[in-house]
Amino acid sequence: MRKGRLVPYTMLAPFFILFLGFFVYPFFYAFYLSMYATRMGANQFVGLNNYLIALTDSEFWHSITTVLYFGVLQAVSVLLVGLILALFLDSSLVKGKAFFRLVYFLPYAVPGVIAALMWGFLYSPQLDPLLRVFSLFDAGKPVNVLSSSSLLYSIVNIVTWEWAGYNMTLYFAALTALPIELYEAAKIDGCNEWRLAVLIKVPLLRPMILFTSILSIIGSMQLFNEPFILSNLTAVPPNYTPNLYIYNMAFSYGNLNYSAALSFLLAFVTFVASMLFLYFTSGEQRREKRAARKQRKAMRQLGTEKVGIQS
Amino acid sequence: MSANVGVNQLQRRNHSRTNVGRKAGTTIITIVMIFVAAYFLLPLVWLLISTTKTGSELFNTPMLALPKHIGLFANLKLVSTYHGGYFWRWYLNSAIYATVTSVLSTVICSLAGYALAKYRFRARQFVFGMILASLLVPAAALTVPTFLMVKFLGLMNTYAGVIVPGLATAFGVYFLSIYIGEAMPTEFMDSGRVDGAGEWQIFWRIAIPVLRPGMVTYLLISFIGSWNNFFLPLLILNSSALYPLPLGLDVWSTYLTQAGAGVPPYAQIVTGSFLSILPMVVLFPFLRKYIASGMITGGIKM
């Protein structure tokens, strides 16, 4: 055919080669590794044994429950703060919107490592006057927000600081994309700003809320930087999060095979968590679809031609 | 939340959107917004002020109090000379990692995205499916494999070991192919062909000028991503001379609690952190628009 036929392949080649080398191949190689174990100095094929060990590895599952709990807290704080801020900024009630949009989004430009260091310092009681206020609630005892019981909440705060503005930006952009006529129609019908936000904007933001929730689930399952940095300032267990456990398994204990198996298990758990989330949040839509299907079926049985009824 | 309810009641009391009701609502919400803004700015302001304090003042003066003695220059000197004086080298390294990665990644991903968006060829569906599938794989699953691949290629402890694995991102191709599919009219390519231009000429001369905004967006996202990158360098680098800033500062912070590491380097870490976020935070107001517009293209289409 034309001489340009090979052009798209050539354009794709640099990406494809790198993608094969640093994604596809490592992915399968890791799977291969996960089926071996070092026994008496020799590499031995053990099949799925590493996975069986992992399934009963309480240290691993402890880290999973930690991040699941963290994920719920994080989703509530990060997404809710982001959503409320975006709705405020989209309403006609706020002045200086450009300024607030910028300030809230600013932490995006700060590396996670630096954010964790800054907050880590701010968590030290000598530095932070707010912590002294907290201590009033606890009979004046000095508060250590990096103690093992409150570490998780301290990390939630860091992550909220880092990501609430990012999610606000996503929501705000999605709100801006909504047709303005909708608002005008609602206002003519007597909707105030508050009702407009809750009854019209939030339902329309649904796809974006689902999308950010998924990102947030994946992100919290992979939590690493913040606890890793805070471990320089306080005691953080080596299996605090799955990723920290995987890292320590590979690079502190030198067990690459088991670490690879844990990585796959983590990926699988993340995938299942995301899918379960999507399944439960789309329950209503599924019911609607099922009802519509039933309706169509009934129509056909009745021999009517009106198949395209909208539900 | 309580502020929300307050506004709601206020509005209900006034019922209509009179100017008075609106003003009151605006004031309350604006106050809330200012408090939230203070929360987001607090660590940054604290960092700015602390950079100008001496190490002892850092703990002896109130958090946001201005320093009595300007310690900024002493701190700068400390940062520049602490532990082998690598700090500015790390700065340079971060700039190299971020610049090279973002520029090359933009070129590579734009080419691939353009091919996927604008040509119909046999492997297209397959490649696109593979990219979509890989978006679902969390990066954590690839930590050990990437490390092993870099090791296999003999790139451990080199610049290339940090740069090369981050070049071909599935997100980049996905984002750019969607952007290109919308922003580049196929008629432009046809008229170029009629005028006798080759496919590559069309790409460089016609497509790139049209597609510049989306490419800039990806370039920025990629730049910030690799400027902030910590995990991969942590696995791959072991000599201080090659560290990027986040890794270097992490190593400094291990001296805080380590026995026998000398005086805890609080002032150094504070000043180092401040200097390392300074360029991004200063440039951010100008870049925000591009970044936000790209996020929405990458996000909404999912």
Side-chain angles (χ1 to χ4, degrees):
Chain A
M1 238 174 67
R2 278 209 326 270
K3 64 173 178 173
R5 222 181 133 184
L6 280 176
V7 169
Y9 292 100
T10 324
M11 287 175 167
L12 208 52
F15 168 79
F16 198 67
I17 291 166
L18 285 167
F19 189 67
L20 281 182
F22 289 96
F23 189 91
V24 180
Y25 175 74
F27 185 78
F28 288 105
Y29 182 59
F31 190 63
Y32 165 84
L33 268 185
S34 74
M35 300 207 282
Y36 280 80
T38 313
R39 279 180 188 165
M40 287 176 283
N43 228 13
Q44 236 177 32
F45 181 77
V46 292
L48 295 175
N49 199 35
N50 284 328
Y51 291 92
L52 290 178
I53 296 172
L55 283 178
T56 54
D57 183 345
S58 62
E59 299 212 3
F60 179 67
W61 292 104
H62 188 262
S63 70
I64 293 274
T65 45
T66 306
V67 286
L68 283 177
Y69 181 54
F70 170 82
V72 173
L73 292 178
Q74 196 254 99
V76 170
S77 68
V78 173
L79 301 183
L80 206 63
V81 170
L83 182 62
I84 291 173
L85 292 179
L87 288 170
F88 275 161
L89 285 178
D90 193 55
S91 75
S92 61
L93 298 170
V94 178
K95 281 182 220 159
K97 288 176 184 179
F99 168 77
F100 289 123
R101 270 207 321 261
L102 178 65
V103 168
Y104 299 162
F105 192 27
L106 194 57
Y108 178 75
V110 176
V113 168
I114 311 273
L117 276 173
M118 282 193 302
W119 279 105
F121 284 4
L122 286 173
Y123 286 153
S124 88
Q126 296 118 297
L127 277 175
D128 198 333
L130 283 178
L131 292 173
R132 269 174 238 154
V133 179
F134 278 142
S135 73
L136 294 176
F137 294 104
D138 199 18
K141 267 184 256 161
V143 171
N144 179 8
V145 287
L146 291 175
S147 70
S148 59
S149 59
S150 49
L151 180 61
L152 194 72
Y153 306 100
S154 300
I155 297 177
V156 168
N157 175 53
I158 299 177
V159 173
T160 306
W161 185 82
E162 286 179 275
W163 293 106
Y166 174 87
N167 286 291
M168 183 274 303
T169 306
L170 280 173
Y171 294 137
F172 186 80
L175 283 170
T176 321
L178 297 178
I180 192 91
E181 299 83 44
L182 210 65
Y183 296 173
E184 274 155 18
K187 278 188 181 165
I188 289 167
D189 288 345
C191 240
N192 60 27
E193 285 287 346
W194 170 250
R195 289 169 64 96
L196 188 67
V198 173
L199 297 176
I200 296 180
K201 290 178 185 174
V202 171
L204 285 170
L205 275 183
R206 190 192 151 89
M208 189 47 102
I209 293 173
L210 290 184
F211 170 69
T212 49
S213 307
I214 294 286
L215 282 189
S216 164
I217 290 172
I218 296 176
S220 44
M221 297 294 286
Q222 296 191 70
L223 186 66
F224 179 83
N225 284 0
E226 290 79 6
F228 186 81
I229 294 297
L230 290 180
S231 72
N232 295 329
L233 305 170
T234 185
V236 177
N239 67 326
Y240 194 67
T241 73
N243 233 354
L244 211 53
Y245 189 48
I246 289 168
Y247 171 83
N248 282 318
M249 191 52 71
F251 302 105
S252 306
Y253 312 136
N255 193 343
L256 285 176
N257 300 98
Y258 188 51
S259 175
L262 290 176
S263 304
F264 271 94
L265 211 53
L266 173 63
F268 181 73
V269 173
T270 308
F271 181 74
V272 170
S274 310
M275 286 301 123
L276 280 178
F277 173 79
L278 278 182
Y279 181 82
F280 285 118
T281 48
S282 62
E284 201 177 310
Q285 284 173 337
R286 262 200 324 279
R287 271 192 297 280
E288 274 168 21
K289 257 186 208 157
R290 213 178 302 138
R293 214 179 303 132
K294 260 188 200 151
Q295 203 177 6
R296 277 199 297 271
K297 211 171 157 191
M299 289 292 198
R300 244 175 317 201
Q301 277 166 350
L302 284 169
T304 26
E305 290 294 298
K306 291 180 195 166
V307 188
I309 284 179
Q310 295 288 313
S311 59
Chain B
M1 282 308 285
S2 59
N4 272 348
V5 177
V7 172
N8 184 20
Q9 283 164 347
L10 248 169
Q11 287 185 330
R12 213 177 282 159
R13 205 183 305 145
N14 292 302
H15 204 70
S16 60
R17 270 182 303 279
T18 59
N19 266 340
V20 183
R22 196 173 245 200
K23 248 184 202 162
T26 305
T27 313
I28 292 170
I29 292 184
T30 305
I31 290 170
V32 174
M33 299 303 263
I34 289 170
F35 265 101
V36 178
Y39 165 74
F40 283 112
L41 286 176
L42 170 88
L44 301 175
V45 172
W46 171 79
L47 198 63
L48 170 65
I49 292 174
S50 302
T51 302
T52 64
K53 286 181 183 173
T54 57
S56 58
E57 254 189 344
L58 196 58
F59 286 99
N60 297 333
T61 56
M63 185 170 74
L64 295 177
L66 292 172
K68 290 187 201 77
H69 316 281
I70 298 293
L72 178 64
F73 297 105
N75 285 341
L76 283 176
K77 208 176 155 195
L78 264 179
V79 160
S80 311
T81 53
Y82 186 64
H83 255 261
Y86 280 116
F87 183 78
W88 296 105
R89 179 69 195 262
W90 295 342
Y91 220 104
L92 180 70
N93 288 343
S94 268
I96 291 172
Y97 290 130
T99 309
V100 176
T101 307
S102 59
V103 169
L104 286 182
S105 180
T106 305
V107 172
I108 289 170
C109 295
S110 298
L111 274 170
Y114 180 79
L116 289 171
K118 286 294 158 193
Y119 292 96
R120 297 288 167 267
F121 54 101
R122 205 172 286 164
R124 181 176 172 273
Q125 285 298 331
F126 172 72
V127 175
F128 209 75
M130 213 162 71
I131 289 168
L132 284 183
S134 74
L135 285 173
L136 295 173
V137 177
L142 295 165
T143 313
V144 174
T146 308
F147 162 79
L148 291 169
M149 191 68 193
V150 169
K151 202 173 175 182
F152 171 75
L153 293 172
L155 297 177
M156 286 301 283
N157 208 26
T158 62
Y159 281 107
V162 174
I163 292 169
V164 178
L167 290 180
T169 64
F171 164 76
V173 175
Y174 173 76
F175 164 70
L176 284 163
S177 73
I178 283 177
Y179 172 77
I180 293 168
E182 280 173 8
M184 173 78 189
T186 313
E187 296 81 55
F188 283 21
M189 297 169 69
D190 291 336
S191 62
R193 285 180 192 130
V194 169
D195 292 344
E199 299 297 317
W200 285 97
Q201 258 177 315
I202 292 173
F203 179 76
W204 293 115
R205 297 260 178 86
I206 302 175
I208 292 215
V210 174
L211 301 175
R212 197 172 290 149
M215 290 170 70
V216 168
T217 297
Y218 178 69
L219 184 83
L220 291 174
I221 293 177
S222 170
F223 188 92
I224 291 181
S226 52
W227 182 269
N228 296 356
N229 197 3
F230 173 67
F231 204 17
L232 191 67
L234 173 72
L235 303 184
I236 286 168
L237 302 175
N238 54 35
S239 72
S240 307
L242 297 178
Y243 287 172
L245 283 165
L247 188 52
L249 291 169
D250 167 58
V251 170
W252 278 3
S253 71
T254 60
Y255 302 146
L256 288 175
T257 45
Q258 213 173 64
V263 184
Y266 283 104
Q268 287 89 324
I269 294 174
V270 164
T271 310
S273 300
F274 174 76
L275 291 171
S276 75
I277 63 172
L278 190 62
M280 275 306 167
V281 171
V282 169
L283 287 176
F284 199 68
F286 307 102
L287 308 178
R288 194 201 63 84
K289 196 177 66 187
Y290 295 99
I291 299 167
S293 74
M295 277 165 43
I296 200 76
T297 315
I300 252 182
K301 303 284 172 175
M302 277 296 272

